C-alpha cells in the first residue's frame, strides 16, 4: 500500500508516501485567502478567547463528571481517582499542545483533518476527516440518548409520565447474542428533538451559538460549584475505609490487574479519559477566532485546565462523603448528595446534567460542517459541501438533509440501554488513534513552524529531530 500511495503522491519521506501533502506556507496562504475578498463568503472572525474556553468546557464537561467519577472510583482507583483524573489530563495536555500549536499557527477550520493533510498527506487526511465525522456523529447520538433519559426522569419528578413508546428506540441490540429485536416503541422523540433544536441554533450563526453555549456552560458550572460547596463540610477520610481498603489508604491495596493500587489508578485514567474528549472541537473554529494566534491556545489549554480542576475537586469530594465501593451506580452524584444530607440539591443536579449534555451535543455538531468545508475545499468532497448560504456567512452544509437524516436514523435505531455504552466505547478509541497519527508527523513536516504559547518563552526549546523520519 505504501508503494502504491508513493507512486501516486510522490514525496521523499515515510509519511509523505500517503499522497500529496501541504507545506506550512501553503496552509498559511489558504488562511490568508479565507480572510481576503478572494473568498465570496469568508467565515466571520467573531469568537473571543472567552468564547473558545466556553466551547471547550461545553464539549468536555457532560455526563462524564456525573457518572464516570463514581465508576472509576468504585472499580479501579478508589479515593485516588483524583490521580486518575490528573494522569488523564496530562495525556490530553500533550495532544492539546499539538492542537494549540497547529490551530494558532494555521488558523483553518479543518481541525485534525487539516493538520493530517499537512503532516501525513492526502490519504491519511481523508481517513482522519471521515474519522472525525463519524466520531462527532456517534458522540452526538450517544449524548442525545442520554439527554432523553434525563428528560424522562426529570419529567417524572414533576409528575409527568411520558409515553414509553415515544421516549425509546424501536430497535434494541443484544450485546450477548448480537441480534436486533423490536421494542414496540415508535421512536425517541426527545433525542430527535434536541438534535433538531441544536442544529437549528447552529444554522442561525456562530455568534448566537457561542452566546447560548456560554449561558449553558455558566449554568452547569454553577451546579457543579453548588455540589462542591454544599457537600465539602461532610468530607472525611473515614469514608475511605471499606472492606477492600481496611486501613483507609488513599491508594487502596491492589486487588488484581487494574483493580486498585497503582495499576488501578492507571486503568482509572484510561476510563476517565473519555471525560476529557471535546477540547479538540475548539480547533475547528480557528478560522472564526478574532485573534487565533493568541486565542486558540487559551481556548484549548484553558478549558483543559479548568475542567481538570473541577474533575479533581468533584472526585475528592465524592469519595470523601461516600465510601467508594458504593459509587458504581448510574447516579453517583445523587448518592453523594443524599449522604451529605442535602437532598434538595438532587433536582438541581439533574437540571445541571441536562444543561451539560445540551452543550456537549452543540459542540459535537459544531465542527462537522467546518470539516465538510475543508474537505470540499481540497476536492475530497463534492463542492456543495463547502458552499455558503447565499447572502450570509453560514455554511450550506450545516442543515443538510443528509446529515439530519443520518442523525435521525441513528437516534431511532439505537436503544437507550445499549447505545450509550457501545457508542461511547467507540468514541473513546477514535481520539487516541487520530491524535497519535497526525502528531507523529508534526515535527518532520512542519519543523519550521514556531509555536508562541502565551507566556511560554522561558521553557520553549527547539524540538529534537524525530528518529522516525
Amino acid at each position: 500500500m505504501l508503494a502504491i500511495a508513493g507512486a501516486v503522491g510522490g514525496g521523499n519521506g515515510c509519511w509523505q508516501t500517503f499522497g500529496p501533502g501541504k507545506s506550512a506556507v501553503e496552509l498559511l496562504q489558504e488562511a490568508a485567502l479565507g480572510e481576503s475578498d478572494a473568498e465570496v463568503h469568508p467565515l466571520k472572525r467573531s469568537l473571543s478567547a472567552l468564547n473558545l474556553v466556553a466551547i471547550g468546557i461545553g464539549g468536555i464537561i457532560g455526563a462524564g463528571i456525573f457518572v464516570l467519577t463514581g465508576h472509576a472510583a468504585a472499580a479501579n482507583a478508589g479515593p485516588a481517582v483524583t490521580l486518575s483524573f490528573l494522569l488523564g489530563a496530562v495525556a490530553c495536555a500533550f495532544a492539546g499542545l499539538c492542537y494549540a500549536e497547529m490551530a494558532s499557527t494555521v488558523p483553518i477550520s479543518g481541525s485534525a483533518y487539516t493538520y493530517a493533510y499537512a503532516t501525513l498527506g492526502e490519504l491519511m487526511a481523508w481517513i482522519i476527516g471521515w474519522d472525525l465525522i463519524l466520531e462527532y456523529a456517534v458522540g452526538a447520538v450517544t449524548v442525545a440518548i442520554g439527554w432523553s433519559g434525563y428528560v424522562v426522569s426529570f419529567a417524572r419528578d414533576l409528575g409527568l409520565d411520558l409515553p414509553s413508546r415515544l421516549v425509546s428506540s424501536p430497535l434494541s441490540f443484544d450485546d450477548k447474542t448480537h441480534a436486533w429485536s423490536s421494542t414496540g416503541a415508535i421512536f425517541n422523540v426527545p433525542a430527535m428533538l434536541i438534535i433538531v433544536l441544536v442544529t437549528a441554533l447552529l444554522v442561525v450563526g456562530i455568534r448566537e451559538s457561542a452566546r447560548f453555549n456560554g449561558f449553558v456552560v455558566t449554568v452547569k458550572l454553577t451546579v457543579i460549584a453548588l455540589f462542591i460547596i454544599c457537600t465539602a463540610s461532610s468530607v472525611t477520610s473515614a469514608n475511605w475505609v471499606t472492606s477492600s481498603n481496611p486501613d483507609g489508604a488513599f491508594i487502596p491495596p491492589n486487588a488484581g490487574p487494574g483493580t486498585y493500587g497503582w495499576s488501578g489508578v492507571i486503568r482509572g485514567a484510561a476510563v476517565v479519559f473519555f471525560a476529557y474528549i471535546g477540547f479538540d472541537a475548539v480547533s475547528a473554529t480557528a478560522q472564526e477566532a478574532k485573534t487565533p494566534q493568541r486565542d486558540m491556545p487559551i481556548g484549548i489549554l484553558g478549558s483543559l485546565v479548568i475542567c481538570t480542576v473541577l474533575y479533581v475537586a468533584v472526585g475528592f469530594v465524592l469519595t470523601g462523603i461516600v465510601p467508594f465501593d458504593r459509587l458504581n451506580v448510574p447516579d453517583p452524584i445523587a448518592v453523594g448528595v443524599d449522604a451529605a444530607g442535602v437532598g434538595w440539591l438532587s433536582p438541581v443536579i439533574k437540571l445541571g446534567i441536562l444543561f451539560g449534555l445540551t452543550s456537549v451535543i452543540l459542540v459535537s455538531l459544531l465542527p462537522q460542517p467546518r470539516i465538510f468545508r475543508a474537505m470540499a475545499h481540497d476536492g475530497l468532497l463534492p463542492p456543495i459541501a463547502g458552499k455558503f448560504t447565499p447572502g450570509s456567512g453560514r455554511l450550506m452544509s450545516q442543515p443538510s438533509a443528509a446529515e439530519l437524516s443520518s442523525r435521525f436514523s441513528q437516534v431511532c435505531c439505537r436503544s437507550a440501554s445499549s447505545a450509550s455504552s457501545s457508542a461511547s466505547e467507540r468514541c473513546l478509541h477514535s481520539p487516541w488513534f487520530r491524535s497519535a497519527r497526525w502528531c507523529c508527523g508534526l515535527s518532520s513536516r512542519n519543523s519550521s513552524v514556531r509555536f508562541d504559547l502565551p507566556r511560554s518563552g522561558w521553557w520553549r526549546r527547539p524540538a529534537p529531530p524525530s528518529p522516525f523520519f
Side-chain angles (χ1 to χ4, degrees):
M1 179 177 177
L2 290 176
I4 295 175
V8 174
N12 54 10
C14 173
W15 292 104
Q16 292 178 354
T17 57
F18 288 101
K22 294 182 181 180
S23 66
V25 174
E26 291 174 318
L27 290 174
L28 291 173
Q29 289 175 346
E30 286 187 16
L33 182 65
E35 297 176 2
S36 67
D37 293 333
E39 187 168 341
V40 179
H41 298 290
L43 294 171
K44 298 178 181 178
R45 294 199 175 276
S46 55
L47 298 179
S48 65
L50 184 60
N51 293 141
L52 296 173
V53 171
I55 289 174
I57 296 175
I60 295 173
I61 296 183
I65 194 171
F66 299 104
V67 179
L68 289 182
T69 304
H71 173 71
N76 304 115
V81 68
T82 54
L83 296 180
S84 296
F85 275 118
L86 288 175
L87 288 176
V90 170
C92 286
F94 287 116
L97 285 169
C98 292
Y99 274 101
E101 174 180 357
M102 293 297 290
S104 60
T105 306
V106 187
I108 296 180
S109 59
S111 187
Y113 160 78
T114 299
Y115 314 149
Y117 210 123
T119 58
L120 303 178
E122 188 175 81
L123 176 61
M124 291 302 293
W126 182 82
I127 294 173
I128 289 179
W130 282 106
D131 184 23
L132 283 168
I133 293 170
L134 176 64
E135 175 196 335
Y136 288 126
V138 174
V141 167
T142 304
V143 179
I145 293 170
W147 189 91
S148 174
Y150 277 104
V151 165
V152 173
S153 176
F154 193 71
R156 190 177 295 117
D157 292 342
L158 298 178
L160 299 175
D161 193 7
L162 300 179
S164 59
R165 297 185 65 190
L166 299 179
V167 295
S168 58
S169 299
L171 299 174
S172 177
F173 183 75
D174 192 327
D175 292 329
K176 296 181 179 179
T177 61
H178 300 285
W180 292 91
S181 61
S182 176
T183 63
I186 301 176
F187 46 73
N188 195 331
V189 174
M192 292 176 60
L193 184 61
I194 188 61
I195 291 290
V196 171
L197 292 178
V198 171
T199 302
L201 175 63
L202 291 171
V203 171
V204 172
I206 185 63
R207 189 178 291 111
E208 293 77 10
S209 300
R211 289 173 182 168
F212 176 79
N213 179 72
F215 168 74
V216 171
V217 167
T218 300
V219 171
K220 67 178 176 181
L221 291 184
T222 301
V223 171
I224 295 172
L226 277 175
F227 168 75
I228 296 173
I229 293 172
C230 294
T231 58
S233 59
S234 302
V235 173
T236 172
S237 59
N239 286 318
W240 295 354
V241 178
T242 64
S243 58
S244 57
N245 187 27
D247 295 330
F250 178 66
I251 302 179
N254 185 261
T259 306
Y260 309 132
W262 280 105
S263 66
V265 172
I266 296 174
R267 177 70 177 272
V271 171
V272 301
F273 178 82
F274 181 69
Y276 287 101
I277 293 176
F279 69 90
D280 54 314
V282 178
S283 62
T285 61
Q287 211 160 342
E288 292 155 288
K290 292 180 179 178
T291 313
Q293 289 75 15
R294 179 182 69 91
D295 295 344
M296 294 309 297
I298 293 175
I300 294 173
L301 301 177
S303 59
L304 271 176
V305 170
I306 293 173
C307 293
T308 299
V309 171
L310 291 175
Y311 283 150
V312 170
V314 169
F316 178 78
V317 170
L318 188 60
T319 54
I321 59 179
V322 181
F324 60 86
D325 57 357
R326 293 168 47 193
L327 294 176
N328 197 11
V329 294
D331 53 349
I333 298 294
V335 173
V337 166
D338 293 336
V342 286
W344 58 269
L345 199 58
S346 292
V348 180
I349 295 295
K350 285 187 178 181
L351 186 63
I353 294 175
L354 278 176
F355 274 92
L357 297 182
T358 302
S359 67
V360 173
I361 295 172
L362 187 148
V363 176
S364 295
L365 297 179
L366 177 65
Q368 289 216 5
R370 288 150 181 83
I371 297 170
F372 287 150
R373 175 183 179 270
M375 295 179 71
H377 180 272
D378 295 327
L380 300 183
L381 281 179
I384 191 174
K387 289 186 177 181
F388 290 83
T389 303
S392 73
R394 296 189 293 271
L395 290 166
M396 286 184 65
S397 58
Q398 181 98 54
S400 65
E403 183 181 355
L404 287 177
S405 299
S406 173
R407 298 197 186 288
F408 287 167
S409 63
Q410 292 182 68
V411 172
C412 291
C413 295
R414 298 267 187 173
S415 68
S417 58
S418 64
S420 296
S421 59
S422 59
S424 62
E425 288 172 1
R426 286 165 174 78
C427 289
L428 179 59
H429 301 292
S430 176
W432 277 107
F433 291 110
R434 184 188 68 242
S435 298
R437 281 195 292 262
W438 71 262
C439 288
C440 283
L442 182 60
S443 60
S444 66
R445 289 293 301 271
N446 289 289
S447 57
S448 62
V449 176
R450 295 186 62 83
F451 173 37
D452 293 326
L453 182 66
R455 304 198 181 277
S456 64
W458 62 273
W459 61 265
R460 185 180 62 219
R461 296 290 185 273
S466 172
F468 301 104
F469 306 100

